[in-house]
Amino acid sequence: MTGQSRSNLYLGLFCIAFACVLMFIWIPLDTKTGIVVKARGKYNIGDGLAPTVAAVFVLLGGLLMLLERNATEQSVIRKNQLKFVASLTLVIIAGFTIMRFAGPVAVELTKLFRAEPLEYRLLRATAGWKHIGFILGGTFMISGLIAVVERKLTRRAILTGIIAVLVLIAAFDLPFDDLLLPPNGDV
Amino acid sequence: MDVLAYIWLGIQAVFLGPEAFSILGIPVSITVMMVLCGFLFGIVVGATPGLAGPFAMAISLPILISIFGYSPDALLPVMGFLIGIMKGATIGGAVPAILFNTPGTPDAFMTTLDGFPMAQKGQAKKALRVAHFSSASGDTFSDIVLFVCAPFLAIIVEAYLDLPEKTGLLILSLSFIAAVIGGSAGKGLISIGLGLLAVYVGTGEDFYPRLSLGADGLSRGFPITTAVLGVLIIGAVFKELEEAWRNTQRTTPVQAPVESGDQNLHWADIKRLFPFIARSAFIGTAIGALPGVGSTLAATLGYTVGRARHQKIRAADAPRFGEGAPEGIAATEAANSAVSGANLIPVLSLGIPGNAAAVFLILAAESIGGFNPGPAVFRFSPDVVNPELVIAFGLFTCMTIANLFNWTIGGVFMRSMGFMINIPKTLLLPAVLLLTLTAIYVQETRIEAIWFALGFGVLGYFMRVLGISPLPFVIAFILGRSLEETARQAYSATGNDPFFLLNNPIALIFVLMSVAVILFAGRKPKGTAP
C-alpha cells in the first residue's frame, strides 16, 4: 500500500479544494446567519463560524500535505481496494433492503391465501413476523460478506449467518420488549 | 461534605447499589458483577486477533443501556462493564502475541518480539505470567496516578480557567491530538476538520439546521453513535476484512507451542523484572495522560528504554531483547497497560477523550445522562451532595475492583484463552458488523442511521487506507459542540469581544501553543500512520 506515489499531493489538493468549496459555497449558501449575525445592534457569532473553523482545519491539513508531498512512504488507494469496499457496501445495502421489505412482502403474499386483512405494521411486534426481515436480510448480509472475503459462497458462510442472526435476536429481541430490531422502527 | 465523605459515598454507590444476588445473605452488587463480566469479556476479545476493546465496548453499550435504562442508577453498572472491558482487553492482547506471534491488539505487537521466542523455547506459560504481572502492575500504578491527578487537575482548571481560556484549551487539545496521533500533522488536521464538520451538520442556533442541504434526513444531524461506531468500528472491520481478503487464510487450527521446564514466576524473577516494569509504568502513565497519545507509542517507548537498560546490565548468558528476554515482555506490557488509567485523566478532569476507550465512556455517559465528564465533576460542594462527584469516585472504585480481579483471576483466565486464535476472522467480522449495525438501529430506530453509519464506515476505511487516523475525527466530533458552545459563551461573557482569545493572556498562550505544536509536528513528516 505504500511506495513512491504522489498521494500526499493529491490528498492535499483535494482537501484545499474541498475547504474552498466549504468556505465559499456550501457554508454561505447553507447557513442562515453566516459567520457573524447582527441582532439588537450587536454582532453575535453566527451558525457559519463553527463550520468555517472546521473548513480551516481541513485547509491547513491540505496545505501541510502539500509540504509532505515528497514524504518517502505515501499510502495509495488501489483500484482493487475500491472494488472490494464497493462490494462490501453493496452487500450491506442489499442485506438491509431485503431486511426492509421481506416482512411486508411476506404479509402481502400471505394475504393472497387468507380472507382476513393483514398489515405488517400491526404485526411488527408479533414473534415470527417481526423476525422475517432480520433473519433473511441478516443472513444474506453475513453470508454475502463472507463470500466476498473468501471469494466463494460456502455452506459454512450461510450457517454462520443464520447462527449470528439467531444469536442477535436472542440478545436484542427476546429479553427486551422495548427494542425494535431492524427494520421494525421504520415500517 | 469533605473529600473523604465523597470517596465513601462513591464506594457505597458501587457496593450498596442494586443487588445482583446474595451469597449466604451477603448481597453482591450488580456493579461489581458487571465489572467482572466486562473484565472477562475484555480478556476474550483482547485474545481474539482482529477484535479489540473498542469493538466490545461498541457492541455492548446498546445492550447495556437496554438492560439498565437511562436513569442515573445505570451509570455505574454500564461504565463499570466498559472499564472492565478496557482492562481485560489490554491483558488479553498479550495471549496470541506470546503463543502465536499474532498481537491480539495493536499495542501488543512489541510483546511478540520476546514473548513468541520464549514460547518457542517452551516457556509460554512463564511468558504469559510475566505479561500478566507486568500488565497488572502498570495498570495499577496508572490508576493510582489517575485517582490523585484527575481531581487536582480538574480543580485547577475550574479555579483558574474561565470561558476564553477553556475555549483556548479545547483548541489546544484538538491541535495536540492532530499533531500527535498518526504520523502526520496534516492528516491529523484533516481528520479533526472532518470530525468538526460532521458534528456541525444539522445543528446551530438558527431555526434552519445548517449544512443540511435542505434534506430532512440531515436536518437532525448525524447521531453520535453513527459517527463514532461508523468511523471507529465499521471502518476497522472493513480494513480487517480487506486484509483477510488479501492474505491467504489459515485453514488448519493453530496449536499452542509445547511447554518445557519451570513455568512459574519466582520472587527472584519479579525482583529482576521490577525496574523494567517501574520504568515502563512511569513512561506509559506519562504518555497516557496526554490526550490522543496511544498505548502503541507507550509500548514502543517502554520497550526501547528497557532494551537500552538491559544491554547495560545483561548477564552474559541471558537472552537479549528480541531473543526471548522476559524483561522485554515486562517493559512492553507494563507500558501499554499503564496508558489505560492515565488516559482517563484528560476525560475526567477536562472532558477531553484521549483514546477510543474514553470515547465509549463519554458515549455511555452522554447516552444515559446525569454525568458529564469534565472539570465541573470535581466540584466539592460542602452543603449539597454533588452526584457527579459520587459517580466519579464510584468509577475509581470500579477501576480498583477491576484491578483486584486482574491480580486474582486475570492471569488464570488469560492463560486459558489461547484457543481464540482459531476463530476465523472472515466469519467473525461480518457477524460483528451486523451486530454493530443492529446496535446502532436499536438505539436510533431509523434506517437512516444505518446509512449514515455505513457512510462513516466507508470514510473510516479510506482514512485508514490513506494513513489518516480516525481517532481525531471521533474526538473532534465529540468536542465540536462543546467548542462552539464555549466560544459563544466566552464571546458573550467578554462583552462581544471578537478577540477574546487574544486579549486573555492564558487563552493567548493556549492558542500560541496550538500553533507551535502544529508547526513543530509539521516540520518533519514521519511517514504513514500506524
Side-chain angles (χ1 to χ4, degrees):
Chain A
M1 266 196 303
T2 57
Q4 292 300 321
S5 84
R6 309 182 76 190
S7 69
N8 281 3
L9 176 69
Y10 298 138
L11 179 64
L13 290 174
F14 174 79
C15 287
I16 292 168
F18 181 56
C20 289
V21 169
L22 271 175
M23 286 192 285
F24 300 116
I25 300 173
W26 190 6
I27 295 170
L29 293 180
D30 210 11
T31 53
K32 287 281 183 245
T33 52
I35 290 176
V36 288
V37 58
K38 196 172 183 182
R40 291 188 290 276
K42 284 182 179 177
Y43 282 102
N44 284 315
I45 292 176
D47 278 353
L49 181 64
T52 305
V53 171
V56 168
F57 270 95
V58 176
L59 179 68
L60 289 175
L63 289 171
L64 281 181
M65 292 318 295
L66 292 189
L67 295 178
E68 294 179 18
R69 66 186 179 279
N70 293 325
T72 48
E73 288 189 355
Q74 296 189 31
S75 310
V76 185
I77 298 177
R78 298 191 186 284
K79 255 187 198 167
N80 61 2
Q81 288 175 311
L82 287 173
K83 278 185 192 166
F84 177 75
V85 81
S87 314
L88 294 186
T89 309
L90 284 176
V91 169
I92 295 170
I93 290 173
F96 273 92
T97 307
I98 292 170
M99 218 179 264
R100 169 69 181 80
F101 294 106
V105 167
V107 168
E108 291 303 317
L109 289 175
T110 310
K111 276 160 69 175
L112 297 175
F113 305 101
R114 285 175 59 146
E116 308 94 84
L118 274 180
E119 198 182 333
Y120 185 78
R121 194 173 173 76
L122 302 175
L123 295 168
R124 64 181 184 166
T126 310
W129 288 108
K130 66 175 176 178
H131 298 129
I132 290 173
F134 190 70
I135 290 174
L136 291 178
T139 305
F140 175 87
M141 189 188 126
I142 291 182
S143 50
L145 290 174
I146 295 170
V148 169
V149 177
E150 293 184 339
R151 299 165 204 254
K152 61 183 175 193
L153 182 63
T154 58
R155 268 184 294 183
R156 189 173 75 151
I158 297 169
L159 194 65
T160 305
I162 294 169
I163 292 170
V165 163
L166 294 178
V167 168
L168 287 182
I169 289 174
F172 284 105
D173 189 57
L174 296 183
F176 310 110
D177 291 335
D178 56 334
L179 291 191
L180 289 173
L181 284 173
N184 297 324
D186 289 276
V187 288
Chain B
M1 287 179 70
D2 62 1
V3 180
L4 286 177
Y6 270 111
I7 293 172
W8 182 237
L9 279 177
I11 294 169
Q12 282 183 320
V14 171
F15 287 100
L16 303 179
E19 180 185 321
F21 55 87
S22 63
I23 302 171
L24 301 171
I26 301 167
V28 177
S29 129
I30 191 86
T31 304
V32 175
M33 288 311 299
M34 293 310 291
V35 173
L36 175 63
C37 294
F39 176 68
L40 298 180
F41 184 41
I43 293 179
V44 174
V45 168
T48 310
L51 296 186
F55 278 86
M57 291 175 151
I59 58 184
S60 310
L61 191 53
I63 299 177
L64 292 169
I65 289 175
S66 305
I67 295 171
F68 293 101
Y70 292 91
S71 73
D73 286 345
L75 279 167
L76 283 176
V78 171
M79 293 174 92
F81 189 88
L82 298 181
I83 284 170
I85 290 178
M86 181 178 83
K87 288 178 177 294
T90 310
I91 64 163
V95 177
I98 289 169
L99 296 181
F100 310 108
N101 206 21
T102 307
T105 49
D107 55 10
F109 171 72
M110 306 301 281
T111 309
T112 61
L113 301 180
D114 289 282
F116 189 61
M118 272 187 82
Q120 283 179 313
K121 291 176 196 166
Q123 295 279 290
K125 211 161 258 179
K126 182 158 188 164
L128 286 172
R129 285 199 164 97
V130 170
H132 173 253
F133 179 78
S134 315
S135 179
S137 305
D139 195 6
T140 307
F141 174 75
S142 178
D143 284 355
I144 292 168
V145 174
L146 165 73
F147 302 163
V148 174
C149 288
F152 278 109
L153 189 57
I155 289 166
I156 291 169
V157 167
E158 273 296 89
Y160 294 103
L161 303 191
D162 208 344
L163 288 164
E165 293 91 337
K166 283 180 183 167
T167 311
L169 183 63
L170 281 169
I171 292 171
L172 173 60
S173 305
L174 290 176
S175 307
F176 185 78
I177 287 163
V180 298
I181 296 184
S184 153
K187 289 177 180 175
L189 284 173
I190 292 167
S191 190
I192 292 270
L194 293 177
L196 288 175
L197 184 66
V199 76
Y200 293 142
V201 169
T203 55
E205 291 202 333
D206 193 69
F207 290 114
Y208 176 75
R210 67 185 163 198
L211 308 180
S212 59
L213 299 166
D216 195 36
L218 289 177
S219 64
R220 283 187 274 173
F222 297 116
I224 189 168
T225 46
T226 63
V228 172
L229 300 193
V231 171
L232 272 188
I233 306 298
I234 299 173
V237 169
F238 280 4
K239 192 76 182 72
E240 290 279 347
L241 284 175
E242 185 224 307
E243 275 162 26
W245 174 69
R246 276 193 289 117
N247 299 334
T248 310
Q249 287 300 289
R250 220 177 349 236
T251 50
T252 50
V254 182
Q255 297 297 326
V258 180
E259 289 166 13
S260 65
D262 180 18
Q263 303 288 333
N264 290 323
L265 190 63
H266 300 285
W267 178 239
D269 296 321
I270 293 171
K271 262 173 55 181
R272 200 179 72 247
L273 295 174
F274 187 76
F276 293 90
I277 294 171
R279 211 172 283 116
S280 284
F282 185 78
I283 290 169
T285 304
I287 285 179
L290 300 171
V293 189
S295 50
T296 308
L297 176 65
T300 311
L301 211 59
Y303 188 84
T304 310
V305 171
R307 182 174 54 195
R309 179 74 189 152
H310 189 248
Q311 275 170 351
K312 289 180 192 160
I313 59 164
R314 184 177 67 92
D317 58 339
R320 294 170 189 275
F321 266 45
E323 295 174 355
E327 291 86 348
I329 301 173
T332 307
E333 284 298 315
N336 66 23
S337 300
V339 169
S340 67
N343 252 171
L344 298 187
I345 293 175
V347 185
L348 292 175
S349 57
L350 307 173
I352 297 166
N355 65 355
V359 165
F360 284 102
L361 286 174
I362 286 199
L363 205 56
E366 275 206 12
S367 304
I368 297 168
F371 183 67
N372 297 303
V377 165
F378 291 94
R379 204 171 279 150
F380 287 86
S381 52
D383 307 320
V384 188
V385 175
N386 174 3
E388 288 191 298
L389 188 51
V390 177
I391 295 291
F393 283 117
L395 289 179
F396 291 170
T397 310
C398 289
M399 295 180 87
T400 310
I401 294 168
N403 279 337
L404 287 176
F405 287 135
N406 197 356
W407 281 107
T408 49
I409 58 171
V412 179
F413 194 73
M414 87 180 263
R415 287 194 291 277
S416 66
M417 283 293 116
F419 69 93
M420 292 304 290
I421 187 89
N422 288 319
I423 295 180
K425 262 190 210 179
T426 50
L427 302 187
L428 187 64
L429 291 174
V432 168
L433 193 59
L434 179 61
L435 176 52
T436 307
L437 291 171
T438 306
I440 290 169
Y441 189 88
V442 297
Q443 268 195 294
E444 302 297 331
T445 54
R446 55 182 175 131
I447 206 82
E448 283 160 2
I450 299 291
W451 307 135
F452 290 153
L454 192 55
F456 282 120
V458 173
L459 175 68
Y461 168 78
F462 283 118
M463 287 171 84
R464 282 171 172 83
V465 170
L466 288 170
I468 301 174
S469 171
L471 195 55
F473 176 98
V474 171
I475 293 173
F477 193 94
I478 288 173
L479 294 182
R481 286 194 194 179
S482 162
L483 174 65
E484 185 181 21
E485 203 174 302
T486 315
R488 280 183 193 274
Q489 289 171 353
Y491 179 75
S492 300
T494 52
N496 293 5
D497 176 10
F499 300 106
F500 65 86
L501 281 173
L502 307 178
N503 289 338
N504 187 296
I506 299 176
L508 179 63
I509 289 170
F510 286 150
V511 171
L512 291 176
M513 282 170 73
S514 309
V515 175
V517 80
I518 291 295
L519 288 179
F520 183 75
R523 263 177 48 203
K524 192 184 168 196
K526 289 158 277 185
T528 53

